[in-house]
Amino acid sequence: MKVNNELRKYIEENIFPEYSKNESGHSLSHIKYVIERSFQLVKENNLDVNLDMVYTIAAFHDIGHHIDSKTHEIISADIMYKDDNLKNYFTGEELITIKEAIEDHRASSKEDPRSIYGKIVSSADRNNTVEDCLRRTYTYGKKLSPDATDEELFLRAYDVLVNKFGENGYAKFYFKDSVYEKFLKDLRTLLSNKNNYIQTQKEYIKQLKKENKI
């Protein structure tokens, strides 16, 4: 999907490098994933939206994660809104919509996003492979509790995923997405047996360590 070339160039050269400050679960590879997923959702659901806005929201949504993970959505939105270069590409009203979408993207938010743009990035920000869940819950848990044992991290990860993606989990989805539906079915099957989940994550993390991927 076509995005303004100058906008893309500015973000790739000035915003993407900032993601080297984040831990691996919120690194540049994650941002590129969210951008791609955002465009997939737009296409699959034939959404009438401004693609430059969709791209910018996804590009900025985690930029402040290394500053404070608990309020990163507010920090990230503020960083975007103070970027005067973006005034070359968006109106004041569009910048407010972008800001609100970034603020609204967290799955744990009790309120629905205020616009379709917030719903797109919130949906695109979800994992869509079991392997990604196994990796991200481990690496993020390790960042929060660096002295924890792997067994403690696996137990934490299980509780986090059940709370988020279980039958009564808080993760919301706003659009048709066949990829996500398959992922959710596979993950819930794995989570149905706690011991099997822990053993699966243990083996996967062991393999990633062996390959120096975490």
Side-chain angles (χ1 to χ4, degrees):
M1 290 189 170
K2 189 170 179 59
V3 172
N4 181 298
N5 287 331
E6 290 185 5
L7 173 64
R8 185 190 295 273
K9 184 174 185 292
Y10 170 72
I11 288 177
E12 288 179 350
E13 293 180 355
N14 298 275
I15 304 307
F16 282 179
E18 290 296 303
Y19 282 96
S20 64
K21 300 174 183 178
N22 285 357
E23 45 83 27
S24 62
H26 298 87
S27 64
L28 182 56
S29 62
H30 170 66
I31 299 309
K32 290 182 176 180
Y33 158 81
V34 174
I35 291 171
E36 180 182 355
R37 291 284 292 140
S38 293
F39 287 152
Q40 287 174 353
L41 290 172
V42 169
K43 184 177 181 179
E44 184 171 354
N45 292 273
N46 195 29
L47 302 178
D48 183 17
V49 291
N50 182 322
L51 295 181
D52 289 351
M53 291 173 65
V54 171
Y55 177 80
T56 302
I57 292 163
F60 274 90
H61 83 279
D62 277 344
I63 195 170
H65 200 280
H66 67 281
I67 298 172
D68 183 1
S69 61
K70 293 181 180 179
T71 60
H72 77 275
E73 71 279 14
I74 304 301
I75 297 170
S76 299
D78 190 54
I79 291 172
M80 181 288 303
Y81 199 62
K82 290 179 178 177
D83 188 334
D84 287 338
N85 290 286
L86 295 180
K87 293 178 182 178
N88 295 320
Y89 308 102
F90 303 107
T91 66
E93 184 177 349
E94 288 171 337
L95 287 170
I96 290 174
T97 299
I98 293 170
K99 180 176 182 287
E100 290 178 345
I102 295 171
E103 291 172 343
D104 295 347
H105 82 268
R106 292 190 72 166
S108 56
S109 175
K110 294 180 180 180
E111 302 295 330
D112 287 347
R114 286 166 281 184
S115 71
I116 190 171
Y117 293 97
K119 291 178 179 178
I120 290 170
V121 71
S122 181
S123 300
D125 195 33
R126 306 293 162 261
N127 298 293
N128 72 351
T129 68
V130 172
E131 290 79 10
D132 195 35
C133 279
L134 298 178
R135 178 182 56 80
R136 292 189 76 194
T137 53
Y138 176 83
T139 57
Y140 187 53
K142 192 72 173 175
K143 178 188 176 183
L144 294 177
S145 305
D147 296 328
T149 66
D150 277 359
E151 292 300 323
E152 290 171 335
L153 293 174
F154 299 152
L155 287 170
R156 173 198 174 276
Y158 177 82
D159 290 340
V160 166
L161 292 176
V162 168
N163 191 38
K164 185 173 183 178
F165 294 111
E167 294 293 341
N168 298 308
Y170 64 77
K172 299 176 183 178
F173 214 78
Y174 303 99
F175 305 102
K176 181 182 182 305
D177 184 359
S178 54
V179 172
Y180 180 80
E181 290 168 4
K182 181 181 184 305
F183 151 74
L184 197 59
K185 180 179 179 181
D186 292 344
L187 182 61
R188 285 177 175 174
T189 297
L190 181 60
L191 293 172
S192 66
N193 185 310
K194 187 173 185 177
N195 290 333
N196 185 43
Y197 167 84
I198 291 174
Q199 185 60 32
T200 299
Q201 187 172 35
K202 181 178 180 180
E203 290 301 320
Y204 186 61
I205 296 302
K206 180 180 178 181
Q207 182 62 32
L208 290 180
K209 287 181 178 180
K210 184 178 179 180
E211 297 172 358
N212 294 316
K213 291 184 177 179
I214 56 174

